[in-house]
Amino acid sequence: MSTTLPLISAATAGVLILLQSILMLATGTKRVKHKQLLGDGGQEDLLRAVRRHGNLAENAAIFVISLALLEMIGTGAPIVAALAAVFVAARLSHALGLSFANTRNVWRVVGASLTALCGLAVGGLLLWRVCPFFAGV
């Protein structure tokens, strides 16, 4: 098994940290507007901003770490790049879906669904790639 520098994962992390920073600033702006330093104060737009920011934070870190591991153990660049692109699109879709007053919308459903599918794919591929190694131990 060869080790590769996780350049696709690094690029994905760069995009996601930029998105995370934008969502953090948007949340901070809403906090200033509502004079709410902690929590959402019952303000629906602040609650949505907090969840956009928090939901990305909850999902992005473990995905990028797992993607980097997948890339480092030699998974083909097209597979890694496709998973990265779908994940980024999913997180953008989910953030967009949480931007509307009616949070029951196709953007949010697509974003959450694709995020889950990417996680399952990366987790499954990691296990599939390392199982032969453990079978020989």
Side-chain angles (χ1 to χ4, degrees), residues 7-58:
L7 299 177
I8 296 168
S9 301
T12 303
V15 170
L16 291 171
I17 194 66
L18 290 174
L19 179 58
Q20 185 74 36
S21 297
I22 290 165
L23 295 177
M24 179 189 69
L25 292 170
T27 301
T29 300
K30 297 242 186 268
R31 288 192 181 286
V32 169
K33 173 185 168 188
H34 294 295
K35 297 180 173 113
Q36 188 68 38
L37 296 177
L38 185 63
D40 60 44
Q43 301 295 326
E44 190 176 320
D45 63 333
L46 178 53
L47 173 61
R48 288 193 313 274
V50 167
R51 290 311 312 141
R52 282 191 304 267
H53 175 249
N55 198 276
L56 180 62
E58 293 162 4

